[in-house]
Amino acid sequence: MAARMGSKVAAILAILSVLVVHGSCKGHPVNYNVSDASAYGSGWLPARATWYGAPTGAGPDDNGGACGFKNVNQYPFSSMTSCGNEPIFKDGKGCGSCYQIRCNKDPSCSGNIETVIITDMNYYPVARYHFDLSGTAFGAMAKPGLNDKLRHSGIIDIQFRRVPCNYPGLKINFHVEEGSNPVYFAVLVEYEDLDGDVVQVDLMESKSAYGGATGVWTAMRESWGSIWRLDSNHRLQAPFSLRIRSDSGKTLVANNVIPANWSPNSNYRSIVQFS
């Protein structure tokens, strides 16, 4: 009887492992209300890791994710991406944060430190801290030649710590989202050095609806992920300046970064960066 029960438990655990590995960014929300995961200088913390998507891919099939970032298979993300559960994702305000990860308990682990960027939300965590990594990021923790073997392990124990982001050669980019118009403006903020994430975005019009200069910042609302929106009761007067505040309270202003002839689904690269 005990032997049969043991075999049933093992079978159930095996099935759960498969379910978690293949697409565990989706599922029924589970909330672990823990906040110290995003603090700098907290040292290495324990976590569990899974992976999803193609074995050598960037995670989501569309190379995007719940943060709104696009082309995460390309530089600077380079497929080294991860879903984070709520203490890491932070209802979208953790989007773009950078974490070092390493594993050494599994025989296929190298123990080398790798850096990943949070680009997606993990709705179905298996631990207090759960990184659902891209196949590329998960395999990067393996010893040479053992990438696939490590991926076959399914769920593994890892360690992690938050670190500043560093995007050499890049300034902060603003992608005006599809659907933006003269009374609705939505923008994706990306490539922020240091904290890597944004907790507030404000917009200043070039002039008021009555023709005079404004000098007034209007708070935008977080739409989803790293996308911020402004619903206006008047036609917005471009060019726009954007002010962003990072997790640690640093503020940066990109003056007139959105031109008068802006268009939806377009990128506007600033000349500013956190330092």
Side-chain angles (χ1 to χ4, degrees):
M1 183 70 174
R4 286 199 300 271
M5 287 292 292
S7 63
K8 288 180 180 179
V9 171
I12 291 170
L13 290 175
I15 291 170
L16 286 174
S17 177
V18 171
L19 289 174
V20 170
V21 169
H22 296 285
S24 61
C25 271
K26 308 300 180 185
H28 301 292
V30 177
N31 182 34
Y32 286 103
N33 187 19
V34 187
S35 60
D36 58 349
S38 61
Y40 292 111
S42 58
W44 291 99
L45 295 173
R48 304 208 84 188
T50 52
W51 65 279
Y52 73 116
T56 57
D61 293 336
D62 62 355
N63 295 317
C67 287
F69 299 132
K70 299 164 178 65
N71 303 315
V72 296
N73 58 319
Q74 301 175 13
Y75 181 82
F77 303 101
S78 304
S79 298
M80 293 295 289
T81 60
S82 180
C83 302
N85 64 317
E86 186 52 31
I88 299 166
F89 184 77
K90 297 188 294 184
D91 197 27
K93 289 183 172 62
C95 288
S97 300
C98 295
Y99 289 88
Q100 287 182 339
I101 57 173
R102 66 184 181 187
C103 71
N104 49 36
K105 289 188 177 181
D106 190 284
S108 299
C109 289
S110 68
N112 294 335
I113 296 173
E114 303 291 343
T115 301
V116 296
I117 304 169
I118 300 302
T119 58
D120 210 344
M121 170 64 181
N122 180 357
Y123 296 95
Y124 194 29
V126 299
R128 174 175 290 186
Y129 304 124
H130 179 185
F131 287 78
D132 197 21
L133 301 161
S134 67
T136 297
F138 197 96
M141 295 187 291
K143 294 175 182 175
L146 296 181
N147 311 73
D148 285 333
K149 187 173 182 180
L150 182 61
R151 281 188 284 262
H152 286 153
S153 296
I155 306 174
I156 63 171
D157 293 313
I158 66 169
Q159 293 178 307
F160 77 99
R161 63 184 179 189
R162 189 174 179 191
V163 294
C165 296
N166 183 27
Y167 301 118
L170 291 180
K171 302 298 184 181
I172 293 175
N173 186 66
F174 300 94
H175 181 272
V176 178
E177 294 296 295
E178 197 70 45
S180 294
N181 58 59
V183 294
Y184 166 79
F185 184 76
V187 64
L188 167 72
V189 186
E190 55 189 353
Y191 311 151
E192 306 92 48
D193 275 354
L194 300 182
D195 288 343
D197 55 11
V198 172
V199 298
Q200 182 58 49
V201 179
D202 305 313
L203 180 147
M204 182 189 290
E205 300 174 69
S206 61
K207 56 184 178 181
S208 72
Y210 306 100
T214 66
V216 176
W217 291 103
T218 301
M220 301 183 73
R221 293 188 298 116
E222 186 179 17
S223 182
W224 58 277
S226 197
I227 296 173
W228 295 77
R229 63 183 287 172
L230 177 62
D231 298 280
S232 177
N233 59 5
H234 65 271
R235 293 178 66 87
L236 295 167
Q237 304 296 310
F240 305 140
S241 296
L242 293 174
R243 180 174 66 185
I244 63 176
R245 188 171 78 247
S246 70
D247 190 29
S248 62
K250 293 183 175 66
T251 300
L252 183 149
V253 174
N255 288 311
N256 298 323
V257 67
I258 309 298
N261 62 343
W262 65 268
S263 60
N265 200 27
S266 298
N267 287 301
Y268 298 99
R269 187 66 52 84
S270 74
I271 59 171
V272 296
Q273 183 59 276
F274 286 109
S275 60

